Amino acid sequence: MQIKVNSETVLVSEGESLMAALLRHNLPVTNICNGQGTCGKCKIRIVSEAPEPSEVEYQKLSAGEIATGIRLACHVQPYEGMALVCGASGHVDRKEGLLFITEQASSQHCGLLQVQVNLDQPTLADERGDGDRLFAKLQETCSLTDLTIGLPQLQTLAPLMRQENFAVTAILWDRHILNVLPGAGKTPVYGVAIDIGTTNIAVALYDLETGGLVRLAAAENGQTVFGADVISRIEFANHSQSNRDLLRKAVTDTINGLLNKLCTTAEIDITQIYKVVVVGNTTMHHLFLGLDVSYLALSPFVSVCNASLELYATEVGLGLHPQAKVFLFPNVGGFVGGDTLGAVLGAEELLANGRHLLIDIGTNCELYLQDGSRMWACSTAAGPAFEGAGITYGMRAQPGAIERVMINEQGVAISVIGGGTATGICGSGLIEVVQQMRRAGIINEQGGIQDPNDPEVQAELNPGLIKHIRDGQQGREFVLAYNANGNDVVLTQRDISQLQLAKGAVCAGIRTLLDIAGLKVGDLDSVVLAGTFASHLNLASTVDIGLIPQMSMHKLKTAGNAAHAGAVKALLDQRAFNNLRQRANHITHVELGGSATFSMYFMESMYIAPCQI
């Protein structure tokens, strides 16, 4: 048979494995374990239809890698017409798979209209005002009636119309004129989709004439200096109006910084951005708008506004064209915000028809469940451990962070982002190391690190592993990486407890929501993991430690940063935004605060073990 490898035709013999074919043709593939499936290094990207992952691939690959067609060559059986890339061209960057969207899509229904007209020049016989003249020509050209225009546009209209001998271009939203430009030629029109996360903010810049992605940018939310999670920021905001203003300025400064960076790099005028779509959880939504969050953290957890909002850039402090339209997704209720609805829209292909559970994992974890006719949503405070915060050597996913861990009789093998010296551990590495420590017997089911002086432990554990257990300043700890300067990267007993709290909250939320819907895990057609963090998780690890109830691995899907992808869909197609706004009215919000069922499941979910329900 014939397959394509790095765009070149390769012949595969009958019954030959993919690994054998790649090696026979001297193609670049890493083969450390000689095809035994133990090293997890022979990664290739299948660009045609990728086969279902094997159990070994679920153990060795992250959710984002699996979703983007990464497989292990030693576990793939080639088929006629298969196309793949391997070697340097098949390398997977840490940042890939975060935003699962097409780089090119139709923007026909984005909602913006660009109209070029040549106006009749004023005469003594035609003394209409300049605005009236423009309205009349637009009505004649596009059959638009009841047009409106803002005072800033009227103030500059007279000289502007005469720059090109009364040839102008009008940018409209519905029946409102956002801007008038001299000349009757096509002008660039851009839009941005903004995901305001508790920890990070991401911005996608699109050309709304072509529907093409121009650039992406992300940065840490400037509010993090005032608290790592939503509760701490609410507490800070509630101290004074000036604190609330500081939080608002922090988030708008971050967004404006990203917008300026994007426009400078892309060499476009920032005032050519006319549409903005914003998603974020309820707290981020309120702090971005400067709304009172006093009652959001108090039962019954009431927000100021759950409805979708349509505002102007100047109202929300964005340094774009003052009349640029800003749309905010509706909130469902309580802490379940527009980012949940954004994720539902962004992952709509995975959620089509059937019973599906969507989990947007982050500092604030949102759950969405549908059974084909009904919909529920809830929020559970996982805390910042998944972002590396509150962990002794925790850090964001950046160079120096341990992201993958393997523990066996030979010792501890780690994978560090950037390939240099380990300086800390990020959230995905935290989950994996706890899973590996439990498998190796270094910690027990309760999460306790074993006593290296216990004869039973010495009999069960390899001496090489026992050496990694020691007493530290915070009690017993496990060394992940020894450094020459003595600043070893360790995981402490408290770190494990922090992860138990985070994963217990998520699992308990899942179980409570399923109970309310009268469903079991086995009834679900899929569980979709969304969020930047989820893209880098090892799916097998999430099940092994009980973050997600035990289920068929093939039902676990990943949608990348689905909330941001949903914002992009709404940016390019206003109909998608309007449809989702209607759908939001039919979602039942479930408040977990004060729920005895949730509390019971939370205690049961603290164990480092698969959750069998």
Side-chain angles (χ1 to χ4, degrees):
M1 73 177 76
Q2 291 185 348
I3 64 173
K4 290 277 189 180
V5 180
N6 298 340
S7 301
E8 298 293 329
T9 300
V10 172
L11 293 176
V12 180
S13 303
E14 187 70 29
E16 189 175 26
S17 69
L18 179 60
M19 174 66 87
L22 295 176
L23 293 174
R24 182 166 60 85
H25 288 277
N26 294 317
L27 290 166
V29 60
T30 304
N31 184 29
I32 293 174
C33 67
N34 196 28
Q36 298 301 306
T38 57
C39 72
K41 301 295 184 183
C42 58
K43 295 178 185 179
I44 48 96
R45 185 195 299 276
I46 301 175
V47 295
S48 56
E49 185 176 353
E52 283 290 332
S54 66
E55 291 301 319
V56 170
E57 286 170 322
Y58 276 118
Q59 293 283 348
K60 301 295 183 183
L61 303 175
S62 72
E65 288 174 326
I66 289 173
T68 51
I70 302 299
R71 298 292 185 270
L72 299 180
C74 65
H75 274 257
V76 173
Q77 191 61 41
Y79 58 84
E80 184 68 42
M82 173 184 275
L84 61 97
V85 290
C86 64
S89 56
H91 174 69
V92 186
D93 187 81
R94 173 76 184 182
K95 296 179 182 178
E96 289 187 14
L98 301 190
L99 184 62
F100 290 1
I101 57 171
T102 178
E103 293 188 2
Q104 184 71 47
S106 172
S107 58
Q108 179 183 355
H109 300 287
C110 71
L112 289 169
L113 178 63
Q114 182 177 165
V115 184
Q116 287 77 32
V117 291
N118 288 287
L119 304 174
D120 299 326
Q121 296 192 27
T123 65
L124 289 175
D126 182 3
E127 297 178 333
R128 289 175 299 170
D130 290 336
D132 303 315
R133 190 177 307 279
L134 176 62
F135 285 3
K137 181 59 74 171
L138 289 173
Q139 182 174 344
E140 175 190 324
T141 306
C142 307
S143 301
L144 293 173
T145 58
D146 301 320
L147 291 166
T148 59
I149 189 170
L151 179 59
Q153 280 63 53
L154 283 175
Q155 289 170 334
T156 59
L157 190 61
L160 184 148
M161 289 174 63
R162 289 161 176 80
Q163 281 186 37
E164 295 291 338
N165 204 26
F166 286 87
V168 298
T169 295
I171 309 295
L172 297 97
W173 177 269
D174 194 15
R175 299 177 188 279
H176 182 69
I177 299 172
L178 301 179
N179 198 17
V180 181
L181 300 165
K186 278 278 188 181
T187 184
V189 176
Y190 297 95
V192 290
I194 303 173
D195 176 20
I196 305 178
T198 308
T199 305
N200 299 303
I201 295 176
V203 178
L205 173 66
Y206 272 80
D207 184 332
L208 294 184
E209 283 297 308
T210 66
L213 173 65
V214 180
R215 287 190 181 273
L216 284 166
E220 185 174 8
N221 188 334
Q223 293 180 346
T224 56
V225 298
F226 303 109
D229 53 39
V230 295
I231 298 301
S232 58
R233 285 183 216 171
I234 289 173
E235 290 175 349
F236 181 80
N238 288 344
H239 277 298
S240 65
Q241 178 62 48
S242 62
N243 280 10
R244 194 186 307 165
D245 293 340
L246 282 172
L247 286 164
R248 188 182 191 193
K249 184 178 186 300
V251 67
T252 53
D253 282 354
T254 303
I255 294 171
N256 282 325
L258 288 170
L259 291 170
N260 285 318
K261 176 184 176 182
L262 285 170
C263 292
T264 300
T265 307
E267 297 182 341
I268 69 169
D269 185 345
I270 198 168
T271 62
Q272 294 173 330
I273 296 175
Y274 291 101
K275 183 180 179 183
V276 180
V277 176
V278 179
V279 294
N281 63 50
T282 312
T283 307
M284 295 303 102
H285 167 280
H286 277 40
L287 295 178
F288 171 63
L289 297 176
L291 301 181
D292 191 339
V293 290
S294 300
Y295 302 99
L296 194 54
L298 299 174
S299 182
F301 312 104
V302 177
S303 65
V304 172
C305 176
N306 283 335
S308 61
L309 295 174
E310 182 178 330
L311 305 167
Y312 289 110
T314 187
E315 294 180 277
V316 295
L318 297 184
L320 311 174
H321 189 281
Q323 293 285 295
K325 301 293 289 185
V326 179
F327 294 89
L328 285 94
F329 275 47
N331 299 313
V332 176
F335 288 101
V336 183
D339 54 345
T340 301
L341 292 172
V344 170
L345 178 59
E348 61 181 343
E349 292 82 5
L350 295 173
L351 301 174
N353 303 320
R355 297 166 169 171
H356 303 281
L357 173 66
L358 181 142
I359 310 171
D360 195 342
I361 302 178
T363 305
N364 189 57
C365 179
E366 293 91 14
L367 309 173
Y368 164 84
L369 176 65
Q370 66 181 50
D371 69 356
S373 60
R374 299 170 298 169
M375 297 172 287
W376 301 265
C378 71
S379 171
T380 180
F386 291 145
E387 303 286 351
I391 305 301
T392 307
Y393 280 87
M395 61 186 294
R396 297 175 62 205
Q398 59 192 29
I402 297 172
E403 64 171 340
R404 303 300 300 272
V405 181
M406 182 183 295
I407 299 175
N408 53 32
E409 291 183 356
Q410 281 69 48
V412 180
I414 60 173
S415 175
V416 179
I417 298 175
T421 301
T423 56
I425 186 166
C426 63
S428 59
L430 177 65
I431 287 176
E432 192 156 325
V433 70
V434 170
Q435 179 240 16
Q436 289 288 305
M437 288 172 71
R438 177 72 188 104
R439 275 192 156 193
I442 297 165
I443 59 175
N444 56 32
E445 196 175 63
Q446 288 75 33
I449 300 176
Q450 301 282 23
D451 181 357
N453 297 315
D454 187 328
E456 291 186 9
V457 173
Q458 293 176 348
E460 292 179 7
L461 286 183
N462 184 292
L465 291 179
I466 291 178
K467 289 180 181 178
H468 284 258
I469 304 173
R470 69 188 189 190
D471 290 327
Q473 293 181 352
Q474 300 181 42
R476 204 167 290 161
E477 60 187 27
F478 184 80
V479 182
L480 299 174
Y482 292 97
N483 288 327
N485 60 7
N487 192 23
D488 303 332
V489 179
V490 303
L491 194 72
T492 69
Q493 188 65 68
R494 181 185 174 279
D495 297 337
I496 297 171
S497 297
Q498 291 298 306
L499 177 63
Q500 287 176 282
L501 292 171
K503 75 98 181 173
V506 175
C507 188
I510 294 171
R511 296 178 68 179
T512 305
L513 206 58
L514 288 173
D515 274 8
I516 291 170
L519 296 174
K520 298 185 181 300
V521 173
D523 297 329
L524 298 174
D525 295 304
S526 75
V527 172
V528 180
L529 301 182
T532 303
F533 172 67
S535 297
H536 300 298
L537 288 177
N538 177 278
L539 294 177
S541 296
T542 64
V543 174
D544 282 352
I545 70 168
L547 173 61
I548 298 169
Q550 195 165 36
M551 62 182 300
S552 169
M553 295 298 293
H554 297 297
K555 288 187 177 182
L556 277 175
K557 311 294 181 183
T558 187
N561 192 347
H564 199 185
V568 169
K569 286 185 177 181
L571 175 69
L572 298 178
D573 191 340
Q574 188 64 19
R575 299 173 305 174
F577 180 85
N578 295 335
N579 291 338
L580 191 69
R581 183 167 53 188
Q582 296 301 317
R583 186 175 185 176
N585 297 326
H586 302 287
I587 298 175
T588 300
H589 173 242
V590 176
E591 180 52 59
L592 298 180
S595 167
T597 301
F598 174 79
S599 297
M600 176 185 68
Y601 285 149
F602 178 68
M603 295 306 296
E604 293 179 3
S605 301
M606 294 292 285
Y607 295 101
I608 306 295
C611 176
Q612 299 176 337
I613 57 173

